Amino acid sequence: MLLRKLADPDVPEEELKPYIETRPTDRIAMAPALLPNENVTFNEPESVNARARGNWVLGTLNAAYRNRRLSLFNQRVAAKDPRPIILAEGDSWFEYPLFIKDTIDHLTSNYTIFCMSGAGDELGQMVDAMEFVDIWRNLRDERKLNVRAMLFSAGGNDIVGDEFGKFLRPFANGQAAKDCLDVNAWKAKLATLLDGYGRVFKAVRKLDPSLPILVHAYDYANPLPSQGLQIPPRDGWLGEPMRKRGYADGPLQREIVKVLLEEVNVAFKSFEGKFPGVHFVDNRGIVKGRWFDELHPTDDGFLDVAANFRATLRKLGIK
């Protein structure tokens, strides 16, 4: 019942929330650990097995949620819906199951989106899989569909949580935020991210020399004090690793995150001059305090993130 409901785009998301719970002590990269609610009885073997698999169920629910979006995509294609077709590959800013209306949820009213994204997906996984290559070829060559653009969101899962602590020097009084970063560790990670993006761009260009690719690098995220094991988890990705390195909750934590994400944004914006057809969507300052947790905007925050992507698409004549 659960997985069937998740995969059915005609079932409202509000109806699905009672079937899902999270483990507040666990986080998987930029996503909470999701699993079927233990207070709800499930009869079908798939949901029972999902419960037994514990944290691994995030993959199961990601797949079910992807199937939900795929069903909507196929319905629109079958109906010859005139909305432009877009490919989307990314992380939880493009797919945050159930609890938030994410970027793709908001864009779906204007575009028919084939979304490959998954909460918790790292850039390295996307680069190794290059899943969009086969999907795009199928859409173009087998189904004769005209893909108008590709949206790409990746890198956040590669730098948060325990990984984030590796980029920090131990706390020392009087340090400015920029001096708190372990320069060598951070530069090595940033170089890995830039290389991964470059490999994606080159793979896209082999398929299509001119397809617009829209990328972004997040807004300045929101480190929080411990939130007392709220469900779904509100913290654990930023504030916690900084506290472990001796940085108390407060302004310095926020400044450290801002310094790091400013470097990511500047680096990703430089793609525009290095790779033809790449367009940087600048989401800095968009959320304006409307954070659902440390890393993800609220519905209204994501609404404005989606508006940023939509504005860029419209400038490209995709509307």
Side-chain angles (χ1 to χ4, degrees), residues 48-67:
V48 173
N49 290 337
R51 176 75 208 179
R53 287 193 294 268
N55 285 356
W56 190 81
V57 79
L58 176 62
T60 300
L61 294 179
N62 269 339
Y65 204 71
R66 181 187 294 195
N67 286 339

Side-chain angles (χ1 to χ4, degrees), residues 118-131:
D121 284 0
E122 296 182 2
L123 174 60
Q125 294 172 304
M126 300 179 206
V127 171
D128 288 342
M130 291 291 184
E131 183 181 13

Side-chain angles (χ1 to χ4, degrees), residues 141-173:
D141 300 337
E142 302 299 323
R143 302 181 67 175
K144 309 301 181 186
L145 299 175
N146 181 23
V147 176
R148 302 288 304 281
M150 178 174 173
L151 313 183
F152 193 64
S153 174
N157 289 313
D158 301 71
I159 62 177
V160 299
D162 291 339
E163 192 71 11
F164 187 70
K166 298 176 183 178
F167 312 133
L168 299 174
R169 300 170 59 189
F171 174 76
N173 285 319

Side-chain angles (χ1 to χ4, degrees), residues 297-308:
T298 62
D299 290 356
D300 287 343
F302 267 127
L303 179 65
D304 285 349
V305 170
N308 244 8

Side-chain angles (χ1 to χ4, degrees), residues 2 19 74 80 89 118 124 154 173 179 213 215 236 258 267 286 315:
L2 170 61
Y19 292 89
N74 287 333
K80 301 188 183 304
E89 171 67 295
N173 285 319
D179 299 320
I213 309 168
V215 302
K258 186 173 182 178
I286 288 294
K315 285 179 183 177

Side-chain angles (χ1 to χ4, degrees), residues 24-38:
T25 55
D26 295 342
R27 298 134 186 102
I28 302 171
M30 283 172 62
L34 303 177
L35 61 162
N37 190 336
E38 63 182 1

Side-chain angles (χ1 to χ4, degrees), residues 50-217:
R51 176 75 208 179
R53 287 193 294 268
N55 285 356
W56 190 81
V57 79
L58 176 62
T60 300
L61 294 179
N62 269 339
Y65 204 71
R66 181 187 294 195
N67 286 339
R68 178 182 180 85
R69 286 176 164 174
L70 177 59
S71 295
L72 177 60
F73 179 88
N74 287 333
Q75 286 176 12
R76 289 188 178 178
V77 169
K80 301 188 183 304
D81 191 287
R83 280 171 278 206
I85 294 174
I86 304 287
L87 273 181
E89 171 67 295
D91 50 29
S92 53
W93 272 52
F94 281 6
E95 182 184 275
Y96 192 108
L98 295 180
F99 295 102
I100 312 172
K101 287 191 70 174
D102 58 46
T103 307
I104 301 303
D105 289 329
H106 287 296
L107 287 173
T108 299
S109 60
N110 300 101
Y111 301 98
T112 295
I113 302 176
F114 194 111
C115 186
M116 298 163 275
S117 308
D121 284 0
E122 296 182 2
L123 174 60
Q125 294 172 304
M126 300 179 206
V127 171
D128 288 342
M130 291 291 184
E131 183 181 13
F132 66 87
V133 171
D134 289 335
I135 289 174
W136 189 355
R137 284 177 175 153
N138 175 266
L139 295 177
R140 181 190 64 188
D141 300 337
E142 302 299 323
R143 302 181 67 175
K144 309 301 181 186
L145 299 175
N146 181 23
V147 176
R148 302 288 304 281
M150 178 174 173
L151 313 183
F152 193 64
S153 174
N157 289 313
D158 301 71
I159 62 177
V160 299
D162 291 339
E163 192 71 11
F164 187 70
K166 298 176 183 178
F167 312 133
L168 299 174
R169 300 170 59 189
F171 174 76
N173 285 319
Q175 283 181 326
K178 63 181 179 61
D179 299 320
C180 298
L181 294 177
D182 182 321
V183 174
N184 291 333
W186 170 238
K187 293 299 182 186
K189 173 59 73 172
L190 185 56
T192 299
L193 297 181
L194 296 180
D195 177 71
Y197 267 80
R199 291 170 63 188
V200 169
F201 299 152
K202 290 174 184 176
V204 172
R205 287 294 161 253
K206 286 183 180 179
L207 291 167
D208 188 312
S210 61
L211 186 86
I213 309 168
L214 278 62
V215 302
H216 78 123

